[in-house]
Amino acid sequence: MPTKTIHIPMADGRADVFAAFPEHRGPVPGVLMYPDAFGIRPVLRDMAEKLAAHGYYVLVPNIFYRHGPAPLVALPAYIGEEARPDIVDRLMPLVHQHTAERTGRDADAYLRFLAGQPEVKDGPIGVVGYCIGGLLATRTAAHSSRVAAVAAFHGPVGTDGTDELAKITGRVHFGHAASDLTPQALNELNTALEAARLDYTSEIYPGTIHGFTMADTDAFDAVGSERHWEHLLALLALLDSALTST
């Protein structure tokens, strides 16, 4: 599986990004994969390569590039209960600085980069995000009509309000951790998605806690992770169909 680390010129500096794509194939659909706050690391590279093996060019950006290359803080191989609080405390100020306006500027650069790669098909792209990356994925989908499919897992989706959700034109899947969202809150979110006339699925993954897709953390849930892959691949199959029809 070909992979590379690249530096992309941005409005506010240069972003280090990780790319994975199939070998010996023609152009494939592009997918922008936003990581969680812990950023680019072995587990995210593995996830990008797994998705690329299904026939996608996957780009994973360092969302906090303004503050330095990834990883911004030293990460243990396994992020357990003892290590997590200190790491989160150090990263949360950066999360709060990542405004919707900043997300839009960055997304424009990432999408331009994808459009310029010979391995990427012209046309719509997919976006997926985890944790804070889920919010960035939904912001990107609201910002650009090029996004034909968007998925967010254990992310604070809906934070920017229903008006932003209504700007999304692509197909949506939201996979929520059971610890992040009550059934009542899910109903309220889904009512907003209905009002926005989105083509969506939005559900709580039973028995999961925040971060359940990340195999290098104590939040990981194998059943929830597999369910996430099933939903993500089914969603991106619709992206394949959209590209075929253009």
Side-chain angles (χ1 to χ4, degrees):
M1 179 70 58
T3 65
K4 53 186 176 181
T5 297
I6 314 152
H7 289 82
I8 300 178
M10 310 288 286
D12 299 325
R14 287 168 63 84
D16 48 311
V17 302
F18 176 78
F21 49 93
E23 192 170 17
H24 305 311
R25 292 186 58 169
V28 295
V31 176
L32 177 59
M33 176 184 280
Y34 285 112
D36 59 5
F38 299 143
I40 303 172
R41 59 195 191 281
V43 71
L44 262 298
R45 295 186 183 95
D46 289 346
M47 292 169 74
E49 291 186 47
K50 179 173 180 175
L51 185 54
H54 286 272
Y56 301 97
Y57 186 109
V58 185
L59 187 73
V60 186
N62 170 17
I63 60 177
F64 300 136
Y65 70 89
R66 292 172 179 84
H67 307 278
L72 287 182
V73 300
L75 298 174
Y78 182 77
I79 305 171
E81 183 178 353
E82 292 184 0
R84 179 186 294 268
D86 178 64
I87 297 170
V88 170
D89 285 347
R90 295 172 66 184
L91 292 173
M92 281 308 294
L94 309 186
V95 171
H96 293 313
Q97 292 174 37
H98 212 90
T99 62
E101 188 272 337
R102 178 178 284 186
T103 303
R105 288 204 312 273
D106 289 351
D108 286 338
Y110 301 142
L111 299 185
R112 279 196 304 270
F113 176 84
L114 283 170
Q117 302 312 297
E119 300 91 352
V120 177
K121 281 185 179 180
D122 292 336
I125 68 155
V127 182
V128 56
Y130 303 90
C131 185
I132 180 60
L135 176 59
L136 304 188
T138 57
R139 285 175 173 173
T140 297
H143 177 75
S144 174
S145 61
R146 283 193 58 206
V147 178
V150 56
F153 298 95
H154 48 83
V157 295
T159 301
D160 294 333
T162 56
D163 289 345
E164 286 301 301
L165 291 175
K167 295 177 183 177
I168 296 174
T169 57
R171 181 78 168 84
V172 174
H173 176 72
F174 292 156
H176 312 284
S179 65
D180 285 346
L181 211 62
T182 65
Q184 179 180 353
L186 175 67
N187 183 63
E188 292 172 356
L189 173 61
N190 290 355
T191 298
L193 295 171
E194 290 283 352
R197 300 180 181 275
L198 294 182
D199 183 6
Y200 79 95
T201 53
S202 172
E203 62 184 69
I204 293 172
Y205 286 23
T208 58
I209 63 175
H210 184 75
F212 64 84
T213 59
M214 296 295 142
D216 63 346
T217 75
D218 55 4
F220 180 68
D221 182 271
V223 174
S225 175
E226 184 59 31
R227 186 169 184 162
H228 129 268
W229 282 114
E230 291 172 358
H231 277 290
L232 178 58
L233 292 172
L235 180 76
L236 293 178
L238 300 177
L239 173 63
D240 290 321
S241 299
L243 282 165
T244 301
S245 64
T246 56

